[in-house]
Amino acid sequence: MSTLSAVSEASARGFLREIWLAARGERHHLEQVKLTGSGSLPSIFAVTDLAVGAIGAAGLAIAELTHAAGNDVVEVQADRRLASFWFSTSLRPQGWEAPALWDAVAGDYQAADGWIRLHTNAPHHRAAALTVLDVTVERAAVAAAVAGWSAQELEIAVVAQGGCAAAMRTMEQWRVHPQGAAVNSEPLLHIVDGPAAAKPDWPVSRQRPLQGIRVLDLTRVLAGPTATRFMAGFGADVLRIDPASWDEPGVVPDMVPGKRCARLDLRASLDQEIFAQLLAQADVLVHGYRSDALAGMGFDAENRRRINPALVDVSLDAYGWSGPWKTRRGFDSLVQMSSGIAEAGMRRLGRDKPTPLPVQALDHATGYLMATAAIRGLTQRLKTGKGMEVRTSLARMAQLLATGSGQQVDAMLEPESVDDLAPAIEQTFWGPARRLRGAVAVGGATMSWDRPAAPLGSAQPQW
């Protein structure tokens, strides 16, 4: 087996340090993290270094919480091989196939003057793109229609229609773009302390440190669900809330172990009352709505704080919290196109089409960043009683990856083997499956889930 190079070790520790300090962690705690394993994902960017650094930071937050509760200081071990695999999918179906990740229209298309990506997994996003292009759900027809547009003009038109699209830009074009300049000037995490409140009396165990912690999850697809999956893996009571019409068939089996998934319509007054009651009893809220969306439903940051003064409130946005695109819909693959990552991969590898990261690393890394911040918020509550308000974005994570590393130099990952999988069979709603072994261990505690993956809407909206 190859050994980890000093360059990769330094790069991974650099990401670990950036994430931990952004979450206001104390520098000396970084010595508790041991990085193990070897190999790297194939990329011109240090994706595996980011993966193990981000997962290591979340594990360190768990270790800090257990110590703050009176337990011994423990070592955190983060494995770069397993971290790489967790940045893809964690679920291995046994005798059945997971649903497709992408719909028939989603993907990269060549416009008249460049490339554009259409994100059409949600039916209303697909309808928006097809309405602008005036075509049916047929990929060849979409491609022919896109070819007649300027990439940036089509991006503008699809977004104006309520859809999701991103023209491919270079890193330099993004740097001088008003949105790129805005997000690159933002901190990785924007943190504001909550008002004084009573300290909680949580019993924090070494084996299940987050047991009894209530996490209200208003997130979708990958980044936010990654954060709450991690927290559920260490015992948190995660209640995910989705609207009646929303589904994510390609990713739900992977993202919801340990969670209960319910539905509410936050535009309806009765469901708003139920949500307010849930929020009042939550310890953590993690949400990925656009920055103006919750406010439009009556749950802006000020109102959330009024309902629950001690809340640890963690918000995710795609394109950042300032600038002209601060309320724009977005996803990892779109941010890679906008920020220059896909163009850099294409150019430096000599490809003839956009070349994104080998995994949706912005989503996953941001998820562990959010988990780190949320758990550090719990530690603050334990010490002072004060809650915390935290904001971050996929675009800011793109900036960290693009500027915080060069090309990976560690050897390629060896293919996945049965030893990479946990021995237990998870009886998911869709069929039996195995999951990857956890990529981080905190003393003797490793990730495990108290309930198997189940569909969205399969539980009641109650603690």
Side-chain angles (χ1 to χ4, degrees), residues 399-419:
Q399 198 263 355
L400 176 66
L401 177 61
T403 61
S405 67
Q407 186 169 354
Q408 295 185 141
V409 298
D410 201 41
M412 292 284 289
L413 285 169
E414 294 290 333
E416 184 182 302
S417 73
V418 68
D419 292 336

PDB file of all heavy atoms in Angstrom, residues 399-419:
ATOM      1  N   GLN A 399     -14.242  28.703  -3.615  1.00  0.00           N
ATOM      2  CA  GLN A 399     -13.088  29.591  -3.500  1.00  0.00           C
ATOM      3  C   GLN A 399     -12.007  28.975  -2.626  1.00  0.00           C
ATOM      4  O   GLN A 399     -10.810  29.060  -2.935  1.00  0.00           O
ATOM      5  CB  GLN A 399     -13.543  30.949  -2.936  1.00  0.00           C
ATOM      6  CG  GLN A 399     -12.555  32.077  -3.154  1.00  0.00           C
ATOM      7  CD  GLN A 399     -11.675  32.322  -1.936  1.00  0.00           C
ATOM      8  OE1 GLN A 399     -11.861  31.702  -0.897  1.00  0.00           O
ATOM      9  NE2 GLN A 399     -10.708  33.218  -2.073  1.00  0.00           N
ATOM     10  N   LEU A 400     -12.397  28.311  -1.542  1.00  0.00           N
ATOM     11  CA  LEU A 400     -11.416  27.662  -0.675  1.00  0.00           C
ATOM     12  C   LEU A 400     -10.681  26.563  -1.426  1.00  0.00           C
ATOM     13  O   LEU A 400      -9.446  26.469  -1.358  1.00  0.00           O
ATOM     14  CB  LEU A 400     -12.116  27.074   0.561  1.00  0.00           C
ATOM     15  CG  LEU A 400     -11.221  26.282   1.512  1.00  0.00           C
ATOM     16  CD1 LEU A 400     -10.196  27.182   2.184  1.00  0.00           C
ATOM     17  CD2 LEU A 400     -12.043  25.541   2.564  1.00  0.00           C
ATOM     18  N   LEU A 401     -11.407  25.736  -2.156  1.00  0.00           N
ATOM     19  CA  LEU A 401     -10.772  24.656  -2.902  1.00  0.00           C
ATOM     20  C   LEU A 401      -9.851  25.196  -3.988  1.00  0.00           C
ATOM     21  O   LEU A 401      -8.736  24.707  -4.174  1.00  0.00           O
ATOM     22  CB  LEU A 401     -11.836  23.748  -3.518  1.00  0.00           C
ATOM     23  CG  LEU A 401     -11.313  22.604  -4.398  1.00  0.00           C
ATOM     24  CD1 LEU A 401     -10.422  21.658  -3.611  1.00  0.00           C
ATOM     25  CD2 LEU A 401     -12.467  21.843  -5.037  1.00  0.00           C
ATOM     26  N   ALA A 402     -10.306  26.222  -4.704  1.00  0.00           N
ATOM     27  CA  ALA A 402      -9.541  26.739  -5.838  1.00  0.00           C
ATOM     28  C   ALA A 402      -8.255  27.428  -5.409  1.00  0.00           C
ATOM     29  O   ALA A 402      -7.248  27.370  -6.115  1.00  0.00           O
ATOM     30  CB  ALA A 402     -10.405  27.703  -6.646  1.00  0.00           C
ATOM     31  N   THR A 403      -8.264  28.063  -4.250  1.00  0.00           N
ATOM     32  CA  THR A 403      -7.098  28.844  -3.822  1.00  0.00           C
ATOM     33  C   THR A 403      -6.278  28.151  -2.749  1.00  0.00           C
ATOM     34  O   THR A 403      -5.152  28.560  -2.490  1.00  0.00           O
ATOM     35  CB  THR A 403      -7.530  30.215  -3.286  1.00  0.00           C
ATOM     36  OG1 THR A 403      -8.391  30.034  -2.140  1.00  0.00           O
ATOM     37  CG2 THR A 403      -8.268  31.010  -4.345  1.00  0.00           C
ATOM     38  N   GLY A 404      -6.835  27.095  -2.145  1.00  0.00           N
ATOM     39  CA  GLY A 404      -6.148  26.475  -1.021  1.00  0.00           C
ATOM     40  C   GLY A 404      -5.318  25.275  -1.381  1.00  0.00           C
ATOM     41  O   GLY A 404      -4.788  24.602  -0.502  1.00  0.00           O
ATOM     42  N   SER A 405      -5.195  24.964  -2.648  1.00  0.00           N
ATOM     43  CA  SER A 405      -4.465  23.753  -3.006  1.00  0.00           C
ATOM     44  C   SER A 405      -3.979  23.828  -4.437  1.00  0.00           C
ATOM     45  O   SER A 405      -4.479  24.578  -5.259  1.00  0.00           O
ATOM     46  CB  SER A 405      -5.383  22.535  -2.867  1.00  0.00           C
ATOM     47  OG  SER A 405      -6.419  22.591  -3.829  1.00  0.00           O
ATOM     48  N   GLY A 406      -2.984  23.004  -4.712  1.00  0.00           N
ATOM     49  CA  GLY A 406      -2.563  22.759  -6.078  1.00  0.00           C
ATOM     50  C   GLY A 406      -3.039  21.381  -6.486  1.00  0.00           C
ATOM     51  O   GLY A 406      -3.927  20.802  -5.874  1.00  0.00           O
ATOM     52  N   GLN A 407      -2.425  20.833  -7.540  1.00  0.00           N
ATOM     53  CA  GLN A 407      -2.810  19.505  -7.992  1.00  0.00           C
ATOM     54  C   GLN A 407      -2.399  18.463  -6.962  1.00  0.00           C
ATOM     55  O   GLN A 407      -1.341  18.540  -6.358  1.00  0.00           O
ATOM     56  CB  GLN A 407      -2.157  19.204  -9.333  1.00  0.00           C
ATOM     57  CG  GLN A 407      -2.611  17.896  -9.940  1.00  0.00           C
ATOM     58  CD  GLN A 407      -2.161  17.755 -11.379  1.00  0.00           C
ATOM     59  OE1 GLN A 407      -1.611  18.677 -11.947  1.00  0.00           O
ATOM     60  NE2 GLN A 407      -2.404  16.591 -11.961  1.00  0.00           N
ATOM     61  N   GLN A 408      -3.245  17.456  -6.762  1.00  0.00           N
ATOM     62  CA  GLN A 408      -2.921  16.401  -5.811  1.00  0.00           C
ATOM     63  C   GLN A 408      -1.723  15.598  -6.312  1.00  0.00           C
ATOM     64  O   GLN A 408      -1.596  15.323  -7.500  1.00  0.00           O
ATOM     65  CB  GLN A 408      -4.131  15.480  -5.607  1.00  0.00           C
ATOM     66  CG  GLN A 408      -5.283  16.203  -4.952  1.00  0.00           C
ATOM     67  CD  GLN A 408      -6.458  15.311  -4.626  1.00  0.00           C
ATOM     68  OE1 GLN A 408      -7.045  15.477  -3.594  1.00  0.00           O
ATOM     69  NE2 GLN A 408      -6.811  14.387  -5.493  1.00  0.00           N
ATOM     70  N   VAL A 409      -0.864  15.229  -5.369  1.00  0.00           N
ATOM     71  CA  VAL A 409       0.335  14.477  -5.744  1.00  0.00           C
ATOM     72  C   VAL A 409       0.331  13.075  -5.157  1.00  0.00           C
ATOM     73  O   VAL A 409       1.179  12.260  -5.499  1.00  0.00           O
ATOM     74  CB  VAL A 409       1.609  15.218  -5.298  1.00  0.00           C
ATOM     75  CG1 VAL A 409       1.703  16.573  -5.981  1.00  0.00           C
ATOM     76  CG2 VAL A 409       1.643  15.396  -3.783  1.00  0.00           C
ATOM     77  N   ASP A 410      -0.601  12.764  -4.270  1.00  0.00           N
ATOM     78  CA  ASP A 410      -0.651  11.436  -3.695  1.00  0.00           C
ATOM     79  C   ASP A 410      -1.114  10.428  -4.748  1.00  0.00           C
ATOM     80  O   ASP A 410      -1.792  10.787  -5.712  1.00  0.00           O
ATOM     81  CB  ASP A 410      -1.614  11.422  -2.497  1.00  0.00           C
ATOM     82  CG  ASP A 410      -1.349  10.260  -1.558  1.00  0.00           C
ATOM     83  OD1 ASP A 410      -0.171   9.974  -1.310  1.00  0.00           O
ATOM     84  OD2 ASP A 410      -2.315   9.663  -1.080  1.00  0.00           O
ATOM     85  N   ALA A 411      -0.752   9.175  -4.561  1.00  0.00           N
ATOM     86  CA  ALA A 411      -1.096   8.129  -5.531  1.00  0.00           C
ATOM     87  C   ALA A 411      -2.606   7.974  -5.655  1.00  0.00           C
ATOM     88  O   ALA A 411      -3.369   8.314  -4.748  1.00  0.00           O
ATOM     89  CB  ALA A 411      -0.469   6.811  -5.103  1.00  0.00           C
ATOM     90  N   MET A 412      -3.040   7.437  -6.800  1.00  0.00           N
ATOM     91  CA  MET A 412      -4.461   7.213  -7.024  1.00  0.00           C
ATOM     92  C   MET A 412      -5.013   6.231  -5.996  1.00  0.00           C
ATOM     93  O   MET A 412      -4.313   5.328  -5.531  1.00  0.00           O
ATOM     94  CB  MET A 412      -4.677   6.662  -8.423  1.00  0.00           C
ATOM     95  CG  MET A 412      -4.373   7.650  -9.528  1.00  0.00           C
ATOM     96  SD  MET A 412      -5.683   8.873  -9.705  1.00  0.00           S
ATOM     97  CE  MET A 412      -6.972   7.846 -10.397  1.00  0.00           C
ATOM     98  N   LEU A 413      -6.278   6.397  -5.657  1.00  0.00           N
ATOM     99  CA  LEU A 413      -6.941   5.472  -4.753  1.00  0.00           C
ATOM    100  C   LEU A 413      -6.964   4.064  -5.329  1.00  0.00           C
ATOM    101  O   LEU A 413      -7.214   3.874  -6.528  1.00  0.00           O
ATOM    102  CB  LEU A 413      -8.383   5.911  -4.522  1.00  0.00           C
ATOM    103  CG  LEU A 413      -8.653   7.103  -3.623  1.00  0.00           C
ATOM    104  CD1 LEU A 413     -10.103   7.521  -3.765  1.00  0.00           C
ATOM    105  CD2 LEU A 413      -8.327   6.778  -2.170  1.00  0.00           C
ATOM    106  N   GLU A 414      -6.728   3.092  -4.487  1.00  0.00           N
ATOM    107  CA  GLU A 414      -6.962   1.713  -4.879  1.00  0.00           C
ATOM    108  C   GLU A 414      -8.474   1.501  -5.001  1.00  0.00           C
ATOM    109  O   GLU A 414      -9.267   2.155  -4.324  1.00  0.00           O
ATOM    110  CB  GLU A 414      -6.381   0.762  -3.840  1.00  0.00           C
ATOM    111  CG  GLU A 414      -4.858   0.809  -3.721  1.00  0.00           C
ATOM    112  CD  GLU A 414      -4.171   0.227  -4.946  1.00  0.00           C
ATOM    113  OE1 GLU A 414      -4.775  -0.638  -5.610  1.00  0.00           O
ATOM    114  OE2 GLU A 414      -3.046   0.672  -5.261  1.00  0.00           O
ATOM    115  N   PRO A 415      -8.917   0.585  -5.851  1.00  0.00           N
ATOM    116  CA  PRO A 415     -10.353   0.351  -5.998  1.00  0.00           C
ATOM    117  C   PRO A 415     -11.001  -0.049  -4.673  1.00  0.00           C
ATOM    118  O   PRO A 415     -10.367  -0.651  -3.805  1.00  0.00           O
ATOM    119  CB  PRO A 415     -10.423  -0.804  -7.011  1.00  0.00           C
ATOM    120  CG  PRO A 415      -9.138  -0.724  -7.771  1.00  0.00           C
ATOM    121  CD  PRO A 415      -8.122  -0.235  -6.791  1.00  0.00           C
ATOM    122  N   GLU A 416     -12.276   0.295  -4.547  1.00  0.00           N
ATOM    123  CA  GLU A 416     -13.007  -0.061  -3.329  1.00  0.00           C
ATOM    124  C   GLU A 416     -13.045  -1.572  -3.152  1.00  0.00           C
ATOM    125  O   GLU A 416     -13.167  -2.320  -4.124  1.00  0.00           O
ATOM    126  CB  GLU A 416     -14.430   0.484  -3.421  1.00  0.00           C
ATOM    127  CG  GLU A 416     -15.261   0.251  -2.172  1.00  0.00           C
ATOM    128  CD  GLU A 416     -16.676   0.757  -2.323  1.00  0.00           C
ATOM    129  OE1 GLU A 416     -16.854   1.965  -2.598  1.00  0.00           O
ATOM    130  OE2 GLU A 416     -17.616  -0.048  -2.173  1.00  0.00           O
ATOM    131  N   SER A 417     -12.938  -2.016  -1.902  1.00  0.00           N
ATOM    132  CA  SER A 417     -13.001  -3.433  -1.592  1.00  0.00           C
ATOM    133  C   SER A 417     -14.039  -3.658  -0.507  1.00  0.00           C
ATOM    134  O   SER A 417     -14.548  -2.714   0.111  1.00  0.00           O
ATOM    135  CB  SER A 417     -11.644  -3.952  -1.127  1.00  0.00           C
ATOM    136  OG  SER A 417     -11.356  -3.498   0.185  1.00  0.00           O
ATOM    137  N   VAL A 418     -14.336  -4.931  -0.244  1.00  0.00           N
ATOM    138  CA  VAL A 418     -15.329  -5.263   0.770  1.00  0.00           C
ATOM    139  C   VAL A 418     -14.880  -4.785   2.149  1.00  0.00           C
ATOM    140  O   VAL A 418     -15.710  -4.520   3.020  1.00  0.00           O
ATOM    141  CB  VAL A 418     -15.604  -6.783   0.763  1.00  0.00           C
ATOM    142  CG1 VAL A 418     -14.379  -7.568   1.244  1.00  0.00           C
ATOM    143  CG2 VAL A 418     -16.831  -7.125   1.589  1.00  0.00           C
ATOM    144  N   ASP A 419     -13.579  -4.639   2.365  1.00  0.00           N
ATOM    145  CA  ASP A 419     -13.078  -4.168   3.651  1.00  0.00           C
ATOM    146  C   ASP A 419     -13.439  -2.711   3.910  1.00  0.00           C
ATOM    147  O   ASP A 419     -13.340  -2.249   5.058  1.00  0.00           O
ATOM    148  CB  ASP A 419     -11.557  -4.337   3.724  1.00  0.00           C
ATOM    149  CG  ASP A 419     -11.138  -5.799   3.757  1.00  0.00           C
ATOM    150  OD1 ASP A 419     -11.959  -6.634   4.178  1.00  0.00           O
ATOM    151  OD2 ASP A 419     -10.002  -6.105   3.349  1.00  0.00           O
TER     152      ASP A 419
END
